[in-house]
Amino acid sequence: MGNQISKKRKRMKRGAVSITDTSRSSFSDQTKSSSQSDHYFNQSQYNAEQLLELHYLFKHVFQRNLIAPVENVLNVPGAQCLDIGCGPTATWLIDMAAEFPNANFTGIDIQEVNPVANPISPPSALPGQLPSNCQFKRIDVLLDIGLPLASFDHIYQRFMFNVYRMDAFRQSKFLELVDLLKPGGYIELIEPDMIPRQVGPKYSRLASAVSDMITSNKKSLYHGPVIKQCLLDAGLEDVQGDYISIPICWGGYVGKMLYESIVCVVGQLGEVLWPCLELEGDYDEMIYNKFLDSAFDECVEYKTYVNFHWAYGRKSSMANKES
């Protein structure tokens, strides 16, 4: 069938949350507190193997773990890097800690981080052994982060479109992140454009339903097209940004992997998305799965793709000098 996906519903790999699982406990738990109410999508909806594959998908697409020009800095002994929203297996951070053994890496996440489940091991380590230059803290980035000011050379953050809202709070939070940087340090962001391109009618409805769910308590959407401006608004210098396009369901391995990542999440959210999909009657799992089948088949027909944006900026080297 070439690059096309099978008409038969693809089942997730062993250990993944089945898309036919009717339990919504993870979603319900996330809506219990105001600080967590916007975390609709988080990496607990993937198992360790899927997180590993998602990480290497983007490493393959971008051809590296980093876009910001911080390689030389991270090779200096004692350099500090912060990964915001590192996920329960801290996949990017562990890969980076092995690649830059002279630097120290701190990962924070709203969930308990369990990196032992991460299949990545540095070449010099035993299977499952973590690099000694990384640590993890359970912190909700929407609350007080509580880390030392001016202590990081590089802050990395990706896939937080479900977390921030585009208002004064977001602006103050990004200023807080800048305060965590050393003078001359970099913030790097990667986010998808939540508006896919070249879409058919069903996938368009699905994408709109997801965006409506994410923005239900927000005035506008924090996603790829706005991240460069977010860094400019935070007062960073030398801000750079661009995007790369990734196909869904077509285009070989890359399109297949992005499809698997998307369906892993939306397959669990049928009851939440149903009211926005223009489907008749009460939620029906079988009808929803058939709708997903048709929507993703459209992606092959219409050659649907998503733009993933990146941006980075540098804190002024003169910042904090006066104090």
Side-chain angles (χ1 to χ4, degrees):
M1 296 182 63
N3 292 329
Q4 295 193 17
I5 59 172
S6 170
K7 296 289 185 179
K8 186 177 180 180
R9 184 110 203 109
K10 182 185 183 302
R11 296 297 164 186
M12 304 312 295
K13 297 180 179 180
R14 184 178 180 181
V17 179
S18 169
I19 63 169
T20 61
D21 183 0
T22 58
S23 172
R24 298 295 183 270
S25 59
S26 61
F27 178 83
S28 299
D29 290 344
Q30 291 169 22
T31 61
K32 289 180 180 179
S33 69
S34 58
S35 65
Q36 298 183 6
S37 62
D38 291 331
H39 293 241
Y40 291 113
F41 295 112
N42 62 59
Q43 295 181 64
S44 67
Q45 294 167 310
Y46 299 89
N47 69 4
E49 184 178 357
Q50 288 167 336
L51 287 171
L52 180 67
E53 291 177 346
L54 187 63
H55 166 69
Y56 278 111
L57 167 64
F58 285 93
K59 186 175 182 179
H60 168 74
V61 168
F62 289 106
Q63 291 296 296
R64 55 197 184 277
N65 276 324
L66 289 168
I67 300 176
V70 294
E71 289 90 346
N72 291 339
V73 173
L74 295 181
N75 279 315
V76 175
Q80 300 287 336
C81 177
L82 174 65
D83 182 5
I84 297 177
C86 65
T89 57
T91 312
W92 179 87
L93 183 143
I94 293 174
D95 197 15
M96 285 289 293
E99 184 177 351
F100 296 95
N102 289 325
N104 298 310
F105 293 84
T106 301
I108 66 172
D109 200 90
I110 193 173
Q111 306 169 76
E112 191 70 39
V113 180
N114 182 26
V116 176
N118 195 315
I120 292 179
S121 295
S124 60
L126 297 173
Q129 182 178 342
L130 296 175
S132 60
N133 57 330
C134 55
Q135 63 174 329
F136 310 96
K137 299 177 182 294
R138 189 170 186 177
I139 295 174
D140 186 347
V141 70
L142 298 182
L143 303 179
D144 181 19
I145 297 176
L147 296 175
L149 302 180
S151 58
F152 294 99
D153 300 281
H154 179 229
I155 294 176
Y156 184 81
Q157 179 178 274
R158 68 180 178 185
F159 308 150
M160 298 285 277
F161 56 87
N162 59 307
V163 175
Y164 296 116
R165 55 184 187 266
M166 292 297 293
D167 59 8
F169 173 84
R170 188 270 311 166
Q171 295 174 9
S172 64
K173 180 55 63 174
F174 271 64
L175 289 173
E176 182 182 351
L177 300 185
V178 172
D179 287 341
L180 297 177
L181 284 176
K182 298 176 183 178
Y186 282 84
I187 292 180
E188 178 176 344
L189 309 174
I190 297 178
E191 296 292 342
D193 185 341
M194 296 303 293
I195 303 174
R197 310 294 170 170
Q198 298 182 183
V199 292
K202 290 184 178 179
Y203 196 83
S204 179
R205 282 155 56 189
L206 178 63
S208 295
V210 171
S211 294
D212 289 346
M213 183 188 71
I214 294 173
T215 58
S216 61
N217 295 319
K218 306 178 181 72
K219 293 181 179 179
S220 58
L221 188 62
Y222 172 80
H223 65 149
V226 304
I227 59 175
K228 183 177 180 179
Q229 188 62 47
C230 288
L231 297 182
L232 290 169
D233 292 343
L236 294 179
E237 300 179 349
D238 300 330
V239 175
Q240 303 292 322
D242 206 342
Y243 65 87
I244 191 166
S245 302
I246 304 180
I248 304 173
C249 298
W250 61 279
Y253 166 80
V254 170
K256 174 178 178 289
M257 291 305 300
L258 184 56
Y259 155 72
E260 290 184 357
S261 297
I262 295 173
V263 79
C264 179
V265 175
V266 297
Q268 301 175 66
L269 297 175
E271 289 183 282
V272 180
L273 300 178
W274 181 273
C276 299
L277 294 177
E278 302 175 12
L279 300 174
E280 296 182 358
D282 295 330
Y283 172 70
D284 185 298
E285 181 183 5
M286 183 175 297
I287 294 176
Y288 179 68
N289 285 340
K290 288 182 178 179
F291 177 86
L292 291 184
D293 278 337
S294 298
F296 285 109
D297 285 342
E298 282 184 353
C299 293
V300 179
E301 177 184 356
Y302 286 79
K303 295 295 185 286
T304 303
Y305 63 92
V306 176
N307 292 329
F308 284 82
H309 293 247
W310 59 264
Y312 65 78
R314 179 178 58 85
K315 184 176 182 178
S316 171
S317 298
M318 299 302 296
N320 300 338
K321 295 280 183 165
E322 296 181 358
S323 59

